[in-house]
Amino acid sequence: MQGAVDPLVFQLSIFVLAVFVGYYVVWSVTPALHTPLMSVTNAISSVIIVGALIAAAPAAMTQSKILGLVATALVAVNIFGGFAVTQRMLVMFRKRKP
Amino acid sequence: MPANLAALLYLTSAVLFILALRGLSNPESARLGNVFGIIGMAVAILTTVLGARTAAYGEMALAIAAGGAAGLVIAFRIKMAAMPQLVAAFHSLVGLAAVLVAAAAFYHPAAYGIVDALGQIRTPSRVEMSLGVVIGAVTFTGSIVAFTRLQGIISGDPVVFRGQHALNVVIGAIIVLLLGTFVHTPSTDVFWVVTLLALVLGVTLVAPIGGADMPVVISMLNSYSGWAAAGIGFTLENSALIVTGALVGSSGAILSYIMCRAMNRSFLSVILGGFGGEAAAQAVRAADRAVTAGSAEDAAFILKNASSVIIVPGYGMAVAQAQHAVRDMAEALKRRGVHVAYAIHPVAGRMPGHMNVLLAEANVPYDEVFALEQIDSEFQATDVAYVIGANDITNPAARDDPSSPIYGMPILDVDRAKTVLFVKRSLAPGYAGIDNGLFYKPNTMMLFGDAKKMTEEIVKAL
């Protein structure tokens, strides 16, 4: 074997392992909570905001910066809306009163 | 911020996201899980913003505040019955954001650290970026079609035309070819042509899928939005994004699988679409068979004298907003000593778990609500099955008639209960377009009318 491992291979390893983690974690989700599962996965996939913020960061107004700011605002809708609506649903799931 | 510290913080946020999903194994731990998710998101955003060394804090904060305020207003105003279209709309935003971020990285690759010594975008980044943009664009327009259909802006009927599948294959093939040239020489024109084609593909992929197959469509788009995020995560070399994308992608894929299994259809047959369009004609000849129709008073009398009742809700309950009336009926019966439970079929409603949320909204305790496999064996020991707004998922033909188009689909065996009370507007067939033999059984009483009104009248009569 020669040379150093490309960072891409490390990322691919993380990705593949995370798919397996996702597989086992999601099968353990109770079917009654499948709707909150969708809304919360939607909220966390909005972590794509990190990419939008990098584009929005430079001081100069460029095409990238405008794209970044628009994307930031769009996924902010998802982040706040997604977590809030998930919480609203989860609060409604109550046990029978004894 | 040192790159190593930032990477560790992104790892922390990925772990918090995993805990957020883990929490959903139980309603009690789910609320805490959601808090973990919020913390994870805050960690990721702060790490990015503090690591950016920028003068643009004000603009970033403004963009987040504007979007965040809109999101909160929507989240607190939305009706629970409208949750499927809200989720579809949210998916479209993730898809669009993936396209925009990929475009930003394409125009200004140096900011993302993805250029080689010659100032060109590195080849692996070209691949990751183009995958992110294609999946993002398909998610965006596909979710918009799903949203308009769920919101009732366009009809729930599948849009089918000749050569549709061929068209999708051709568009897909052109996209793949263009991606090849883009990876070779990244040009602006090719980037936008690919994006445009992927936007068209999103529409042509989802348009042929009808209303009741929406649980599969929403799950599938959920999955796509995850894969798009993962693609962008590779471009950014960001572990939080890669892990989250993988989690969301596999979550959506599992939900799609669960929904398909609950309809005994292959994923391919669902996404190829066009199901239930033409078969409605055969129901007409069956319509002159005798049915027993009853009034709310008749139903109340039967329910009162039962010792156990199972309520089977479907999409019709959501449309009529009858969940509160159903709960009132259940409470009235419980006060009389009747044992009441709810049975939920996996594809009841328009998205996975739709019925559970509506019942929870109406303050039905979740330990009275059971999934198909938990409760199906109990119907034969039950006096009354109260079917409200469901149809195909109770059709005995799926179990008994090998010639039926829905044969093999797991159903709730309501016909094994001593009496079936079936609330329905008319004898019209359900989504699958096939007649339900249950209507004509001697132990079935049809309660013709609006789901909500009928249930309220029963409550009055109790």
Side-chain angles (χ1 to χ4, degrees):
Chain A
M1 264 190 289
Q2 289 177 335
V5 178
D6 193 295
L8 182 64
V9 177
F10 282 117
Q11 290 161 29
L12 196 64
S13 320
I14 294 173
F15 177 73
V16 172
L17 292 175
V19 168
F20 277 90
V21 172
Y23 180 86
Y24 289 105
V25 170
V26 171
W27 273 115
S28 76
V29 171
T30 169
L33 294 179
H34 275 164
T35 297
L37 171 67
M38 296 203 106
S39 62
V40 84
T41 51
N42 187 267
I44 66 173
S45 62
S46 308
V47 73
I48 199 166
I49 196 171
V50 301
L53 287 169
I54 292 173
M61 256 314 157
T62 58
Q63 278 160 316
S64 290
K65 184 174 168 94
I66 294 165
L67 291 169
L69 284 174
V70 173
T72 303
L74 288 178
V75 283
V77 174
N78 255 6
I79 294 174
F80 285 79
F83 282 121
V85 86
T86 307
Q87 194 68 18
R88 220 184 114 199
M89 279 190 270
L90 293 176
V91 166
M92 296 185 316
F93 279 85
R94 294 286 177 197
K95 257 196 173 143
R96 197 179 335 200
K97 286 188 201 80
Chain B
M1 187 182 297
N4 282 338
L5 177 60
L8 289 173
L9 287 171
Y10 285 131
L11 175 66
T12 311
S13 103
V15 171
L16 286 164
F17 289 153
I18 293 171
L19 293 176
L21 298 193
R22 185 72 187 87
L24 289 167
S25 59
N26 177 316
E28 297 305 318
S29 60
R31 288 181 278 271
L32 182 62
N34 199 41
V35 174
F36 284 141
I38 295 171
I39 298 172
M41 185 61 73
V43 170
I45 292 177
L46 287 176
T47 306
T48 312
V49 171
L50 297 179
R53 278 187 314 222
T54 171
Y57 289 122
E59 292 154 32
M60 292 193 214
L62 198 67
I64 294 177
L72 287 177
V73 170
I74 296 168
F76 286 106
R77 289 239 178 118
I78 192 83
K79 286 207 178 81
M80 285 301 144
M83 201 52 72
Q85 49 267 51
L86 178 73
V87 168
F90 278 175
H91 287 157
S92 78
L93 293 181
V94 175
L96 180 56
V99 174
L100 296 179
V101 172
F106 176 69
Y107 279 116
H108 202 55
Y112 290 87
I114 52 171
V115 286
D116 58 21
L118 297 169
Q120 294 283 321
I121 303 174
R122 290 198 313 244
T123 309
S125 305
R126 294 175 196 172
V127 178
E128 298 149 9
M129 175 187 290
S130 46
L131 287 178
V133 79
V134 168
I135 305 172
V138 169
T139 310
F140 174 49
T141 49
S143 302
I144 287 183
V145 174
F147 169 80
T148 48
R149 180 158 282 158
L150 289 161
Q151 184 71 24
I153 298 170
I154 58 170
S155 137
D157 299 335
V159 178
V160 203
F161 54 87
R162 281 174 68 92
Q164 192 161 29
H165 302 322
L167 177 70
N168 287 343
V169 170
V170 170
I171 297 178
I174 298 177
I175 290 178
V176 171
L177 284 176
L178 288 177
L179 285 186
T181 66
F182 178 81
V183 171
H184 187 259
T185 358
S187 92
T188 318
D189 291 346
V190 174
F191 182 87
W192 289 114
V193 170
V194 165
T195 308
L196 195 69
L197 284 173
L199 290 172
V200 173
L201 187 62
V203 176
T204 55
L205 274 180
V206 176
I209 310 174
D213 282 335
M214 280 299 145
V216 181
V217 175
I218 298 198
S219 313
M220 177 183 88
L221 292 167
N222 185 231
S223 179
Y224 289 177
S225 71
W227 303 132
I232 301 297
F234 277 104
T235 311
L236 304 184
E237 304 191 338
N238 182 304
S239 61
L241 202 38
I242 294 175
V243 171
T244 311
L247 291 177
V248 177
S250 48
S251 165
I254 291 170
L255 289 176
S256 308
Y257 168 76
I258 294 175
M259 295 299 116
C260 288
R261 190 181 56 178
M263 295 191 290
N264 190 39
R265 297 180 60 199
S266 75
F267 181 68
L268 203 62
S269 96
V270 174
I271 62 165
L272 290 180
F275 189 66
E278 69 293 320
Q282 60 167 289
V284 179
R285 67 181 156 74
D288 47 2
R289 285 158 68 188
V291 298
T292 318
S295 66
E297 286 73 26
D298 300 333
F301 180 78
I302 294 172
L303 287 165
K304 244 188 298 200
N305 290 302
S307 63
S308 58
V309 173
I310 297 180
I311 298 170
V312 181
Y315 181 57
M317 182 185 82
V319 174
Q321 285 287 302
Q323 64 270 29
H324 299 278
V326 168
R327 190 202 78 116
D328 290 344
M329 186 183 87
E331 290 304 312
L333 290 171
K334 272 156 59 184
R335 276 196 296 276
R336 292 174 163 273
V338 181
H339 180 263
V340 181
Y342 299 79
I344 311 288
H345 192 278
V347 291
R350 285 293 185 264
M351 75 183 293
H354 193 186
M355 292 297 119
N356 301 81
V357 169
L358 290 180
L359 292 175
E361 183 194 19
N363 290 322
V364 172
Y366 65 78
D367 43 4
E368 289 177 9
V369 183
F370 298 94
L372 177 130
E373 60 271 19
Q374 292 170 309
I375 199 167
D376 205 31
S377 57
E378 287 176 31
F379 278 104
Q380 45 196 326
T382 297
D383 293 327
V384 180
Y386 187 79
V387 183
I388 175 164
N391 188 356
D392 293 335
I393 57 170
T394 64
N395 193 338
R399 186 187 61 218
D400 304 330
D401 177 8
S403 69
S404 170
I406 59 168
Y407 181 69
M409 166 173 145
I411 55 159
L412 288 160
D413 292 317
V414 294
D415 57 324
R416 295 198 166 139
K418 286 201 190 74
T419 308
V420 180
L421 296 175
F422 209 109
V423 187
K424 205 168 180 316
R425 285 170 182 278
S426 67
L427 287 175
Y431 171 70
I434 50 167
D435 200 25
N436 192 341
L438 196 59
F439 301 163
Y440 315 105
K441 295 225 166 175
N443 66 339
T444 302
M445 180 187 275
M446 299 300 293
L447 304 170
F448 291 113
D450 174 74
K452 185 176 176 188
K453 245 186 233 153
M454 177 58 70
T455 310
E456 282 169 351
E457 280 168 29
I458 293 174
V459 175
K460 249 182 252 159
L462 277 170

PDB file of all heavy atoms in Angstrom, chain B residues 421-436:
ATOM      1  N   LEU B 421     -70.067  -1.161  11.931  1.00  0.00           N
ATOM      2  CA  LEU B 421     -70.750   0.105  11.627  1.00  0.00           C
ATOM      3  C   LEU B 421     -69.830   0.874  10.692  1.00  0.00           C
ATOM      4  O   LEU B 421     -68.680   1.149  11.030  1.00  0.00           O
ATOM      5  CB  LEU B 421     -70.995   0.904  12.914  1.00  0.00           C
ATOM      6  CG  LEU B 421     -71.930   0.252  13.928  1.00  0.00           C
ATOM      7  CD1 LEU B 421     -71.991   1.077  15.210  1.00  0.00           C
ATOM      8  CD2 LEU B 421     -73.326   0.078  13.349  1.00  0.00           C
ATOM      9  N   PHE B 422     -70.326   1.189   9.507  1.00  0.00           N
ATOM     10  CA  PHE B 422     -69.465   1.753   8.468  1.00  0.00           C
ATOM     11  C   PHE B 422     -69.971   3.139   8.108  1.00  0.00           C
ATOM     12  O   PHE B 422     -71.001   3.291   7.456  1.00  0.00           O
ATOM     13  CB  PHE B 422     -69.493   0.826   7.242  1.00  0.00           C
ATOM     14  CG  PHE B 422     -68.224   0.862   6.437  1.00  0.00           C
ATOM     15  CD1 PHE B 422     -67.350  -0.209   6.428  1.00  0.00           C
ATOM     16  CD2 PHE B 422     -67.903   1.973   5.669  1.00  0.00           C
ATOM     17  CE1 PHE B 422     -66.189  -0.188   5.680  1.00  0.00           C
ATOM     18  CE2 PHE B 422     -66.742   2.010   4.926  1.00  0.00           C
ATOM     19  CZ  PHE B 422     -65.878   0.927   4.933  1.00  0.00           C
ATOM     20  N   VAL B 423     -69.282   4.168   8.555  1.00  0.00           N
ATOM     21  CA  VAL B 423     -69.714   5.536   8.264  1.00  0.00           C
ATOM     22  C   VAL B 423     -69.150   5.942   6.905  1.00  0.00           C
ATOM     23  O   VAL B 423     -67.936   5.898   6.679  1.00  0.00           O
ATOM     24  CB  VAL B 423     -69.201   6.530   9.326  1.00  0.00           C
ATOM     25  CG1 VAL B 423     -69.806   7.908   9.113  1.00  0.00           C
ATOM     26  CG2 VAL B 423     -69.502   6.029  10.715  1.00  0.00           C
ATOM     27  N   LYS B 424     -70.029   6.350   5.999  1.00  0.00           N
ATOM     28  CA  LYS B 424     -69.575   6.653   4.644  1.00  0.00           C
ATOM     29  C   LYS B 424     -70.640   7.518   3.973  1.00  0.00           C
ATOM     30  O   LYS B 424     -71.808   7.433   4.292  1.00  0.00           O
ATOM     31  CB  LYS B 424     -69.410   5.330   3.878  1.00  0.00           C
ATOM     32  CG  LYS B 424     -68.434   5.410   2.735  1.00  0.00           C
ATOM     33  CD  LYS B 424     -68.105   4.026   2.222  1.00  0.00           C
ATOM     34  CE  LYS B 424     -67.132   4.087   1.064  1.00  0.00           C
ATOM     35  NZ  LYS B 424     -67.422   5.095   0.066  1.00  0.00           N
ATOM     36  N   ARG B 425     -70.216   8.365   3.044  1.00  0.00           N
ATOM     37  CA  ARG B 425     -71.181   9.220   2.365  1.00  0.00           C
ATOM     38  C   ARG B 425     -72.062   8.434   1.399  1.00  0.00           C
ATOM     39  O   ARG B 425     -73.239   8.693   1.245  1.00  0.00           O
ATOM     40  CB  ARG B 425     -70.462  10.299   1.565  1.00  0.00           C
ATOM     41  CG  ARG B 425     -69.901  11.393   2.433  1.00  0.00           C
ATOM     42  CD  ARG B 425     -69.006  12.276   1.587  1.00  0.00           C
ATOM     43  NE  ARG B 425     -68.408  13.306   2.406  1.00  0.00           N
ATOM     44  CZ  ARG B 425     -69.016  14.433   2.732  1.00  0.00           C
ATOM     45  NH1 ARG B 425     -70.241  14.661   2.310  1.00  0.00           N
ATOM     46  NH2 ARG B 425     -68.425  15.315   3.472  1.00  0.00           N
ATOM     47  N   SER B 426     -71.465   7.455   0.685  1.00  0.00           N
ATOM     48  CA  SER B 426     -72.207   6.708  -0.322  1.00  0.00           C
ATOM     49  C   SER B 426     -71.522   5.361  -0.479  1.00  0.00           C
ATOM     50  O   SER B 426     -70.582   5.048   0.231  1.00  0.00           O
ATOM     51  CB  SER B 426     -72.169   7.446  -1.660  1.00  0.00           C
ATOM     52  OG  SER B 426     -70.837   7.425  -2.144  1.00  0.00           O
ATOM     53  N   LEU B 427     -72.002   4.576  -1.447  1.00  0.00           N
ATOM     54  CA  LEU B 427     -71.369   3.287  -1.676  1.00  0.00           C
ATOM     55  C   LEU B 427     -70.204   3.385  -2.658  1.00  0.00           C
ATOM     56  O   LEU B 427     -69.694   2.375  -3.132  1.00  0.00           O
ATOM     57  CB  LEU B 427     -72.400   2.291  -2.223  1.00  0.00           C
ATOM     58  CG  LEU B 427     -73.438   1.781  -1.212  1.00  0.00           C
ATOM     59  CD1 LEU B 427     -74.454   0.907  -1.915  1.00  0.00           C
ATOM     60  CD2 LEU B 427     -72.789   1.002  -0.082  1.00  0.00           C
ATOM     61  N   ALA B 428     -69.774   4.600  -2.972  1.00  0.00           N
ATOM     62  CA  ALA B 428     -68.700   4.773  -3.943  1.00  0.00           C
ATOM     63  C   ALA B 428     -67.457   4.011  -3.499  1.00  0.00           C
ATOM     64  O   ALA B 428     -67.195   3.882  -2.308  1.00  0.00           O
ATOM     65  CB  ALA B 428     -68.364   6.254  -4.090  1.00  0.00           C
ATOM     66  N   PRO B 429     -66.715   3.482  -4.472  1.00  0.00           N
ATOM     67  CA  PRO B 429     -65.518   2.718  -4.090  1.00  0.00           C
ATOM     68  C   PRO B 429     -64.420   3.637  -3.572  1.00  0.00           C
ATOM     69  O   PRO B 429     -64.464   4.845  -3.759  1.00  0.00           O
ATOM     70  CB  PRO B 429     -65.091   2.064  -5.406  1.00  0.00           C
ATOM     71  CG  PRO B 429     -65.657   2.920  -6.473  1.00  0.00           C
ATOM     72  CD  PRO B 429     -66.899   3.555  -5.917  1.00  0.00           C
ATOM     73  N   GLY B 430     -63.446   3.031  -2.903  1.00  0.00           N
ATOM     74  CA  GLY B 430     -62.325   3.798  -2.376  1.00  0.00           C
ATOM     75  C   GLY B 430     -61.309   4.093  -3.462  1.00  0.00           C
ATOM     76  O   GLY B 430     -61.573   3.948  -4.655  1.00  0.00           O
ATOM     77  N   TYR B 431     -60.124   4.459  -3.027  1.00  0.00           N
ATOM     78  CA  TYR B 431     -59.069   4.894  -3.943  1.00  0.00           C
ATOM     79  C   TYR B 431     -58.722   3.831  -4.973  1.00  0.00           C
ATOM     80  O   TYR B 431     -58.503   4.113  -6.144  1.00  0.00           O
ATOM     81  CB  TYR B 431     -57.834   5.248  -3.124  1.00  0.00           C
ATOM     82  CG  TYR B 431     -56.618   5.515  -3.961  1.00  0.00           C
ATOM     83  CD1 TYR B 431     -56.557   6.670  -4.736  1.00  0.00           C
ATOM     84  CD2 TYR B 431     -55.554   4.640  -3.989  1.00  0.00           C
ATOM     85  CE1 TYR B 431     -55.444   6.934  -5.508  1.00  0.00           C
ATOM     86  CE2 TYR B 431     -54.443   4.898  -4.756  1.00  0.00           C
ATOM     87  CZ  TYR B 431     -54.394   6.039  -5.512  1.00  0.00           C
ATOM     88  OH  TYR B 431     -53.294   6.301  -6.270  1.00  0.00           O
ATOM     89  N   ALA B 432     -58.688   2.562  -4.544  1.00  0.00           N
ATOM     90  CA  ALA B 432     -58.284   1.509  -5.460  1.00  0.00           C
ATOM     91  C   ALA B 432     -59.339   1.276  -6.538  1.00  0.00           C
ATOM     92  O   ALA B 432     -59.115   0.526  -7.483  1.00  0.00           O
ATOM     93  CB  ALA B 432     -58.004   0.216  -4.701  1.00  0.00           C
ATOM     94  N   GLY B 433     -60.519   1.917  -6.384  1.00  0.00           N
ATOM     95  CA  GLY B 433     -61.554   1.819  -7.408  1.00  0.00           C
ATOM     96  C   GLY B 433     -62.281   0.485  -7.395  1.00  0.00           C
ATOM     97  O   GLY B 433     -62.939   0.134  -8.358  1.00  0.00           O
ATOM     98  N   ILE B 434     -62.162  -0.262  -6.305  1.00  0.00           N
ATOM     99  CA  ILE B 434     -62.838  -1.552  -6.285  1.00  0.00           C
ATOM    100  C   ILE B 434     -63.911  -1.553  -5.210  1.00  0.00           C
ATOM    101  O   ILE B 434     -63.812  -0.872  -4.201  1.00  0.00           O
ATOM    102  CB  ILE B 434     -61.860  -2.710  -6.024  1.00  0.00           C
ATOM    103  CG1 ILE B 434     -61.001  -2.379  -4.815  1.00  0.00           C
ATOM    104  CG2 ILE B 434     -60.994  -2.978  -7.226  1.00  0.00           C
ATOM    105  CD1 ILE B 434     -60.256  -3.552  -4.309  1.00  0.00           C
ATOM    106  N   ASP B 435     -64.943  -2.374  -5.468  1.00  0.00           N
ATOM    107  CA  ASP B 435     -66.074  -2.454  -4.569  1.00  0.00           C
ATOM    108  C   ASP B 435     -65.642  -3.139  -3.272  1.00  0.00           C
ATOM    109  O   ASP B 435     -64.770  -3.994  -3.269  1.00  0.00           O
ATOM    110  CB  ASP B 435     -67.158  -3.279  -5.261  1.00  0.00           C
ATOM    111  CG  ASP B 435     -68.501  -3.027  -4.653  1.00  0.00           C
ATOM    112  OD1 ASP B 435     -68.692  -1.936  -4.078  1.00  0.00           O
ATOM    113  OD2 ASP B 435     -69.367  -3.915  -4.755  1.00  0.00           O
ATOM    114  N   ASN B 436     -66.265  -2.729  -2.165  1.00  0.00           N
ATOM    115  CA  ASN B 436     -65.946  -3.339  -0.890  1.00  0.00           C
ATOM    116  C   ASN B 436     -67.072  -4.284  -0.484  1.00  0.00           C
ATOM    117  O   ASN B 436     -68.175  -3.847  -0.171  1.00  0.00           O
ATOM    118  CB  ASN B 436     -65.744  -2.250   0.167  1.00  0.00           C
ATOM    119  CG  ASN B 436     -65.136  -2.793   1.442  1.00  0.00           C
ATOM    120  OD1 ASN B 436     -65.175  -3.987   1.692  1.00  0.00           O
ATOM    121  ND2 ASN B 436     -64.560  -1.903   2.236  1.00  0.00           N
TER     122      ASN B 436
END
